[in-house]
Amino acid sequence: MAGKPKKQDPVDSKELAAELGLSVGRINSLYAEREKNDFPEHVDQRGRARLWDLAEVREWYEGREPSRLQQLSLAGGDPDELLNAAQVAKLLGYKNRSQITTYLIEHPGYFPEPDEVEELGTYKRQKWRRRTIADWRASRPGKGRRAGATRQAPALPDVPADGDPDELLAGTQAAALLGFKSLNSFSSSLSQGNLPLLEETDGLSDRGKRAWTRRRILEQKAQRG
């Protein structure tokens, strides 16, 4: 039975602040200074409230130049100190460890693999050296990237169009089959209502992610022309 996904509707400043772990006042300040900081323009309005594409703002926020406090946190301490996902998230300024998990599952190759994995029965505790995170943060996309660094989105898988029409395909596979360059661009288009046939899912992937049948994705591709 098809499962209905959480539609990525545009969010207002209060919802955006909650997602990024900021105050509404900070969101308003960032927006007011958008000509200097490249903060994304709002995509819609709900009455007088501005609405933003969450994926677009999150991408901007994660690629911004690290604050002085974050720079000191990353640089300080033993470079070989092992940090768990929660500690890494805190150093990078994320609200919680879920962003690290999202990177590892949905964007393979983007975030560094853990330097150590501790087996705890059915649970695995992943840890990264401080230097690993500092090096990644210094070279990742954004205004603070070092000279010569270029942004490379994780490569999408090669997905054949002539496979089993009832096979369930997750976001990265759907993005590839539809001709998108990245999972982010696919997610953004989906949230904006540009892929109406995919507003409902056909089930979940092996990793519990929303998924669609190859047949439905190809129908959407044909509709897009």
Side-chain angles (χ1 to χ4, degrees), residues 183-223:
L183 177 60
N184 280 345
S185 59
F186 164 74
S187 298
S188 178
S189 185
L190 182 62
S191 69
Q192 294 175 41
N194 297 329
L195 304 172
L197 296 184
L198 303 186
E199 288 186 359
E200 291 191 9
T201 63
D202 293 306
L204 298 175
S205 69
D206 293 339
R207 292 187 173 183
K209 299 299 178 182
R210 56 184 178 173
W212 303 263
T213 62
R214 180 181 272 105
R215 177 186 292 106
R216 186 193 291 266
I217 295 170
L218 290 175
E219 288 174 356
Q220 180 64 82
K221 184 175 183 179
Q223 188 182 89

Side-chain angles (χ1 to χ4, degrees), residues 11-164:
V11 296
D12 61 22
S13 57
K14 184 176 181 180
E15 295 166 322
L16 188 58
E19 285 287 342
L20 300 181
L22 302 174
S23 67
V24 173
R26 180 57 177 156
I27 295 296
N28 293 335
S29 295
L30 290 170
Y31 179 76
E33 299 169 359
R34 61 190 181 283
E35 291 187 2
K36 297 180 180 179
N37 61 24
D38 295 325
F39 189 82
E41 185 58 75
H42 66 287
V43 297
D44 201 352
Q45 285 195 210
R46 183 190 299 142
R48 299 180 61 182
R50 301 185 187 91
L51 300 177
W52 284 272
D53 181 328
L54 177 58
E56 182 182 7
V57 179
R58 181 180 282 137
E59 183 177 2
W60 171 88
Y61 181 70
E62 292 165 3
R64 75 200 190 287
E65 185 174 1
S67 68
R68 179 63 177 165
L69 178 60
Q70 289 172 0
Q71 290 174 339
L72 290 174
S73 296
L74 286 170
D78 182 355
D80 289 320
E81 178 186 3
L82 288 168
L83 308 172
N84 61 32
Q87 292 171 314
V88 169
K90 184 177 180 180
L91 280 181
L92 293 174
Y94 299 147
K95 187 176 181 180
N96 53 52
R97 58 176 292 168
S98 64
Q99 185 59 60
I100 306 301
T101 302
T102 297
Y103 281 154
L104 294 173
I105 294 177
E106 298 187 2
H107 303 272
Y110 177 63
F111 196 75
E113 291 296 318
D115 294 300
E116 181 178 295
V117 178
E118 185 178 357
E119 301 284 349
L120 300 173
T122 58
Y123 172 73
K124 294 182 180 180
R125 178 179 294 158
Q126 300 170 310
K127 295 183 178 181
W128 293 260
R129 290 190 175 86
R130 186 183 292 269
R131 79 165 78 245
T132 299
I133 302 304
D135 289 345
W136 176 80
R137 188 62 180 85
S139 61
R140 66 174 302 182
K143 291 184 177 180
R145 62 177 178 267
R146 63 193 176 200
T150 57
R151 179 171 189 162
Q152 293 185 348
L156 293 175
D158 183 18
V159 182
D162 58 356
D164 180 357

